[in-house]
Amino acid sequence: MDETSARPLTPSLQRLADRFRAGDSLALARCITRVENQTGGFEDLLHALHDGVGRARRIGLTGPPGAGKSTLTAAVARLLRDRGETVGIVAVDPSSPFTGGALLGDRVRMDDLATEPGIFIRSMASRGSHGGLATTTREAADLMDAFGFDHVLLETVGVGQSELEVATNADSTVVVLVPESGDGIQAMKAGLMEVADLFVVNKADRPGADRLKKEIEVVQAIRAGSPMAAAPAHHGVDFTAIALAGSNPADDGDDSGGAPQIPDWEAPVLKCTASTGEGVAELVERLDGHFEWLEKTGMLDEQRRLAAIEHTRRVLERAVQRQAATVWTEWIGDDGQSADQVAGSPYEIARRLARRLGPGSEN
Ligand SMILES: Nc1nc2c(ncn2[C@@H]2O[C@H](COP(=O)(O)OP(=O)(O)OP(=O)(O)O)[C@@H](O)[C@H]2O)c(=O)[nH]1
Ligand SMILES: [Mg+2]
């Protein structure tokens, strides 16, 4: 068999794909479950549906636990839906579940959203995610994209590297912080500053919102360097200075031959009260602005290209891991006795087992 060609779908997967393409949201849910559980043939299914990927706008929302990400996600989804657009939502391990209702904001409730046509909500577990959190989450988002949603919103708690990767798989990343508990400092430590295309200071109805907003802006300014400095960092370039000098000081001696300068994106810091919806319209407006900027500058294609390369690497690693697990199980046996029977150093044994890796060891 030609290893480079895709395997045909089994009849039952073919039926599932057909229902998916016909717009059956139950089929979408089944496909996501297959991906989440890594059920046999799930990559063939993803491959078959891959043609439809690439139309949706992807927005990541991340931040510390309890910052109001779900409430904000619901409010953003509501606004987009009211504009006539459709929204898929992937929430990774929400501690306050989307369908719980009681824990969610008063005005916009997720369980109201969940039953609305044009909105599809899916929670994913971060623990025990075999294929890697960023990988399976991306694949769930791809499926929603291929299904035809205009937007895919990805909510993750920004507590670790893999959670941040989920957010950075999006076209635009919103970092949600709250005035209490020194979120400004926490954000810097957790690497949230780096991934933000937009900051939201949520719970602006509580004291300290202005102070947090200022804190974030100060950190941004420090990271960018003084606007009038000779070599500003990649954020916060002062364009009046560039225009006066007639060249981009950030270019570092590279003569761009008079090509028009592309303004850098400086992450705005917005105040929101997600529970009442205040400030959410501006957030959506700024998200539109960021997407326009991505398109105009070519950053959208570039970001997506890099993300696709990274995803390919993870899919390869996952395949090798899966094969290694099969080879290992064959060797160790059900009773786990092989280790005693086979003499030799771990290195010698592992090298010999590695030779068994290959398409034949795929299940
Ligand atoms: N006062 C106030 N409370 C809010 C606001 N937004 C959300 N909340 C409340 O904060 C709590 C947490 O909100 P969630 O939306 O579940 O927060 P989350 O960031 O999704 O939480 P996890 O997913 O568990 O990390 C809920 O009780 C919300 O009602 C706000 O703007 N102001
Ligand atoms: Mg949540």
Side-chain angles (χ1 to χ4, degrees):
M1 189 181 116
D2 179 6
E3 276 171 38
T4 59
S5 64
R7 293 189 296 194
L9 293 179
T10 62
S12 80
L13 283 183
Q14 186 59 55
R15 274 194 302 278
L16 185 60
D18 290 344
R19 281 173 50 208
F20 180 100
R21 290 200 189 91
D24 177 354
S25 53
L26 196 61
L28 167 60
R30 293 244 166 92
C31 288
I32 296 175
T33 302
R34 287 196 98 88
V35 165
E36 200 175 19
N37 299 337
Q38 318 264 296
T39 315
F42 77 99
E43 286 181 340
D44 300 325
L45 186 63
L46 283 164
H47 169 78
L49 298 170
H50 189 73
D51 271 355
V53 175
R55 283 182 301 234
R57 271 173 62 180
R58 298 183 192 204
I59 300 167
L61 297 103
T62 190
K69 299 177 298 295
S70 296
T71 314
L72 192 65
T73 301
V76 167
R78 177 78 268 155
L79 268 184
L80 293 171
R81 191 71 200 104
D82 288 346
R83 303 206 296 212
E85 291 152 38
T86 56
V87 187
I89 298 173
V90 185
V92 178
D93 232 4
S95 52
S96 43
F98 267 109
T99 47
L103 287 168
L104 296 169
D106 308 320
R107 253 191 57 184
V108 192
R109 296 175 49 142
M110 269 294 170
D111 47 356
D112 293 342
L113 278 182
T115 56
E116 171 151 350
I119 291 191
F120 183 92
I121 301 175
R122 179 61 182 239
S123 294
M124 314 267 294
S126 71
R127 250 162 287 272
S129 158
H130 288 299
L133 181 64
T135 317
T136 37
T137 312
R138 183 198 162 94
E139 286 166 345
D142 280 353
L143 286 169
M144 290 189 185
D145 182 350
F147 194 77
F149 287 102
D150 298 318
H151 302 265
V152 178
L153 308 184
L154 293 150
E155 181 202 334
T156 48
V157 186
V159 291
Q161 192 52 43
S162 59
E163 287 84 359
L164 283 187
E165 276 173 28
V166 172
T168 52
N169 247 312
D171 301 320
S172 307
T173 303
V174 180
V175 168
V176 186
L177 301 171
V178 281
E180 57 253 46
S181 68
D183 263 4
I185 308 291
Q186 215 179 311
M188 278 174 257
K189 280 198 211 146
L192 286 165
M193 297 296 292
E194 282 81 0
V195 302
D197 296 308
L198 295 99
F199 287 98
V200 165
V201 174
N202 192 39
K203 307 198 185 181
D205 53 327
R206 296 194 177 162
D210 286 312
R211 204 181 56 209
L212 175 58
K213 179 172 150 71
K214 199 155 284 166
E215 248 174 60
I216 297 165
E217 285 165 348
V218 166
V219 174
Q220 278 181 308
I222 292 169
R223 285 164 51 86
S226 159
M228 298 310 286
H234 63 291
H235 282 300
V237 178
D238 182 330
F239 293 103
T240 52
I242 292 165
L244 286 172
S247 73
N248 188 346
D251 261 350
D252 212 18
D254 173 45
D255 184 4
S256 49
Q261 296 298 333
I262 297 165
D264 274 353
W265 178 262
E266 198 173 345
V269 186
L270 312 172
K271 285 197 296 177
C272 278
T273 305
S275 49
T276 64
E278 204 170 324
V280 180
E282 194 193 346
L283 170 60
V284 170
E285 215 172 276
R286 297 296 194 109
L287 281 166
D288 288 342
H290 183 246
F291 196 76
E292 265 169 41
W293 177 85
L294 287 172
E295 282 185 314
K296 218 167 44 202
T297 57
M299 282 298 286
L300 183 67
D301 291 341
E302 182 59 7
Q303 271 184 194
R304 286 183 174 186
R305 193 180 67 83
L306 293 175
I309 290 173
E310 178 59 16
H311 184 60
T312 307
R313 184 178 70 81
R314 294 209 198 97
V315 172
L316 170 66
E317 285 179 357
R318 182 170 65 186
V320 171
Q321 250 174 38
R322 201 163 47 221
Q323 291 172 6
T326 307
V327 168
W328 180 255
T329 307
E330 277 168 14
W331 179 69
I332 198 81
D334 289 336
D335 55 0
Q337 292 303 305
S338 290
D340 297 330
Q341 292 163 7
V342 181
S345 81
Y347 312 98
E348 191 254 314
I349 296 168
R351 198 180 306 130
R352 192 152 42 76
L353 291 176
R355 285 193 214 109
R356 296 194 207 164
L357 295 176
S361 58
E362 278 256 28
N363 47 11

